[in-house]
Amino acid sequence: MTKKAKNPFQRSLFEEEEDSHLLSSSKTSSTFADNLSLPIHRWFRYSAGFSALWARETIRTAIAEQKSEVRILDPFAGSGTVLVEADRAQVPSFGVESHPFVARLARAKTANTTNADKFKAYTTEILARAEKNKPNLESHSVLTRKCFPDEILANLDQLRSAWRQVENTTEKELGWLALASILRQCSPVGTANWQYVLPKKTKAKTSNPFEAFKTKAKQICFDLAERPVGAHKSSLIRGDARSMLEVPDEWATLVITSPPYPNNFDYADATRLEMTFFGEIEGWGCLQDAVRKYLVRSCTQHISPIVSTTSEIVRSPELDPIRKEIEAVIDALEKARHEHGGKKNYHTMIAAYFLDMAKVWKDLRRVTSPHARVCFVVGDSAPYSVYVPVDVWMGRLAVASGFRSFSFLKTRDRNIKWKNRKHRVPLHEGQLWVKG
Ligand SMILES: C[S@@+](CC[C@H](N)C(=O)[O-])C[C@H]1O[C@@H](n2cnc3c(N)ncnc32)[C@H](O)[C@@H]1O
């Protein structure tokens, strides 16, 4: 069974096109697919990412319209799509990302202390060392061994050892990115863009690790050589959107972002394969401490320890602007829970998610200028068929935090064609525009 069938209200950022109906004829904001043909964006396929061309257009419009300097913030920076585009437009930007693996990706993509020549020299050295290294398969976890046949893992291990042997530099971070980005294409087991592994599926075609690494290194060199001179104004902060300590007061004039949706997608599990390969975690059990505790609580895996405190969370004053509606939804979810085998704690997830987002809006008000504009790419959700109007509640939380007004531009319908879907609640996705 695919992840899609298991997760009927999965966000459309992860859905196939057949499940959605594009409403905007031009660029949709919510898909990473086109980024795979764009310099720098194509270095790592981050399926939760949004459209770089849409971000580019949004930045261009702001530069044309704004009289003062444009300063951009992405509080959920992900793989750095907005930062790469801000650098391209040569405007200053901050990105905040709390997932350690994803933050590292964004930082590697926007690092300004290397160039094509330095990276070429670095990868030549890595490959030369790798060829001489003796593979050590025993050093890999059960998961990694399950995903790669010995002869492929042997090559990957040689590359990993070579990568470890060379001292810390910006090039080393790009080397890490290059190696991370080829893992799934080298595995013959089904590795979807997101799930760590689909044990019952196999791929017909897999890449040779040395060849794949060389190809990726060439691509990175090419893009580095093409990067405009002086295009380095972004800063990636590994931090928390709920409290963006490093971002100065009233700094941003434009916010472009997409937060996790409250749809039970586990961002921590999504990078398990890569983090395990590099020895950053030993297994699933480590994800809570290594990753999940830093993230907005948007999946039930986050909240098992706090289920008993649901009513306390709902009573938080931060939720006053949506109190009546959220209480009704949480009641409905608690009831629905008993009618479903999985008995998932969506009621706690929704309460914790909106408490987290209320904190994000509060801190966004602090770090944005009085006339800032904010765009959140968001999608609604319907766990156990209980509708959660994410865009409206977000807008209300924004206004309660001191923003002036909000409007929503729908870009696509979701959950309208899906044959296996478990509920028939129509969903949508779009841009929530908030005025400062
Ligand atoms: C939809 S993705 C953003 C993707 C991004 N627009 C891109 O193009 O790569 C949402 C991101 O929010 C991050 N995130 C979750 N909780 C966070 C928090 N408390 N602070 C900062 N980032 C967080 C997730 O790790 C994820 O990368």
Side-chain angles (χ1 to χ4, degrees), residues 62 66-72 90-92 233 251-254:
Q66 240 171 259
K67 292 190 185 80
S68 53
E69 184 191 36
V70 172
R71 294 187 299 269
I72 300 173
Q90 307 206 8
V91 292
K233 295 186 167 190
W251 185 83
T253 63
L254 175 66

Side-chain angles (χ1 to χ4, degrees), residues 211-222:
E211 289 311 314
F213 187 78
K214 267 185 225 163
T215 306
K216 182 55 67 178
K218 263 191 207 156
Q219 184 189 69
I220 293 175
C221 282
F222 184 86

Side-chain angles (χ1 to χ4, degrees), residues 11 13-14 29 31-32 35 41 46-52 54-55 74-82 95-100 102-103 105-106 109 194 237-244 256-261 265 267-268 291-298 302 356-357 360 377:
R11 62 184 299 181
L13 288 181
F14 306 105
S29 38
T31 167
F32 193 79
N35 297 6
H41 299 289
Y46 187 51
S47 297
F50 56 29
S51 160
W54 170 76
D74 184 348
F76 296 98
S79 61
T81 306
V82 168
V96 179
E97 171 59 52
S98 62
H99 188 313
V102 182
L105 272 181
K109 281 163 73 180
W194 275 102
I237 298 161
R238 189 181 149 203
D240 192 327
R242 290 165 288 194
S243 173
M244 295 173 271
I256 309 175
T257 200
S258 178
Y261 301 175
F265 180 76
Y267 282 89
V291 185
R292 253 184 235 120
K293 71 177 181 194
Y294 301 113
L295 306 179
V296 159
R297 294 167 290 182
S298 59
H302 275 123
D356 286 349
M357 292 313 298
V360 171
V377 174

Side-chain angles (χ1 to χ4, degrees), residues 307-320:
V307 174
S308 62
T309 65
T310 310
S311 46
E312 211 173 293
I313 299 173
V314 182
R315 280 200 300 275
S316 310
E318 288 91 336
L319 295 178
D320 283 349

